[in-house]
Amino acid sequence: GYPSSMTTCKDALKKLQETLEEGQKVEELEDVRLCMVPWQMPLITKMDASLNTLKKCKHLRLSSNQIDRIGSLAGLESLEILSMSRNLLKKLENLDAVAGTLKQLWISYNNLIALNGIEKLQHLEVLYMSNNKVHDIKEIERLQTLPKLHELLFKGNAFHQRFLAEGNDEKAYRLEILMRLPNLKVLDGLHVDDDERAEAQARS
């Protein structure tokens, strides 16, 4: 059963359908945004099977809800960007179904401590995961298995906060990450320049 103070994905898709122009179908959309705030509807707390109808969807936006786990993404065979920032996620799961297509994962402002499961996303290029609870640098090392990853947003995690609290500066923090991920082009919104990359390589 669902508490009455939440919106199901099914009802959210129905509401989205009502906002579309005549002749448009939710199932045909490439960009699906299920953000309840503008509609003044209760937030979504669970992903359900109704999302599996979104065969054409390239960008699924579920940010700013209260979803505590990634549900089944089966059927989302075109999905390139999964946007779930500002939810209640504690771990990565159920990503197998989109591992062949997913290029960007936006999961900032959740409760993630670990990144196990991310290794499956062999096409991932962009990972936005600032302001989570990752405290162990070993979790960053999991990203070494992602050959196409070139942009990472990681600041605001427990590791970053602790590293600075220990008297290190932002530059040293960036080098810690770049030593492990030398292929990054953008880290925390700033381009990685050649000098920085060389310094990180010299340290590793």
Side-chain angles (χ1 to χ4, degrees):
Y2 291 107
S4 54
S5 61
M6 64 154 284
T7 303
T8 62
C9 289
K10 191 176 177 183
D11 287 344
L13 288 171
K14 206 160 120 188
K15 173 70 180 175
L16 178 59
Q17 181 65 61
E18 288 165 16
T19 68
L20 298 179
E21 290 169 30
E22 203 176 337
Q24 275 193 308
K25 286 197 176 73
V26 166
E27 293 77 42
E28 301 289 321
L29 295 178
E30 292 192 353
D31 192 328
V32 175
R33 186 189 186 105
L34 300 179
C35 185
M36 300 301 104
V37 180
W39 295 336
Q40 298 181 322
M41 289 169 73
L43 301 178
I44 297 169
T45 62
K46 279 191 177 75
M47 293 167 69
D48 63 40
S50 64
L51 296 173
N52 303 355
T53 60
L54 303 173
K55 307 258 181 245
K56 301 271 176 75
C57 178
K58 289 183 176 175
H59 189 172
L60 177 59
R61 301 171 190 260
L62 290 164
S63 296
S64 302
N65 281 293
Q66 288 183 322
I67 298 166
D68 62 0
R69 53 182 303 236
I70 300 173
S72 170
L73 297 166
L76 286 143
E77 54 204 36
S78 309
L79 194 67
E80 294 180 3
I81 307 175
L82 178 59
S83 176
M84 294 191 70
S85 52
R86 297 184 190 276
N87 276 285
L88 304 171
L89 301 177
K90 294 186 191 71
K91 62 178 178 175
L92 297 176
E93 56 192 324
N94 287 322
L95 294 171
D96 308 51
V98 295
T101 55
L102 200 70
K103 293 180 179 172
Q104 300 193 22
L105 184 58
W106 303 0
I107 46 172
S108 293
Y109 294 94
N110 277 285
N111 299 318
L112 295 162
I113 292 172
L115 294 175
N116 42 318
I118 201 146
E119 298 93 342
K120 295 171 182 150
L121 302 178
Q122 287 293 301
H123 298 278
L124 199 69
E125 297 171 6
V126 174
L127 176 60
Y128 294 149
M129 55 162 299
S130 70
N131 300 88
N132 275 280
K133 302 208 158 76
V134 176
H135 53 81
D136 191 339
I137 192 78
K138 286 198 174 70
E139 295 304 316
I140 284 291
E141 290 168 7
R142 293 182 191 273
L143 304 178
Q144 291 168 347
T145 60
L146 305 178
K148 297 179 181 176
L149 187 73
H150 62 78
E151 180 167 359
L152 174 65
L153 185 61
F154 186 70
K155 63 185 180 193
N157 274 280
F159 171 78
H160 178 216
Q161 291 159 340
R162 189 185 71 231
F163 193 73
L164 295 180
E166 288 167 358
N168 300 292
D169 61 8
E170 285 290 340
K171 183 185 171 196
Y173 151 74
R174 288 176 66 84
L175 291 173
E176 282 292 312
I177 305 285
L178 294 171
M179 277 163 57
R180 291 165 173 84
L181 300 173
N183 298 331
L184 287 183
K185 294 188 173 74
V186 181
L187 173 59
D188 292 337
L190 296 172
H191 278 274
V192 179
D193 64 36
D194 292 342
D195 291 349
E196 193 174 30
R197 195 183 309 281
E199 188 172 346
Q201 277 167 344
R203 288 189 181 199
S204 56

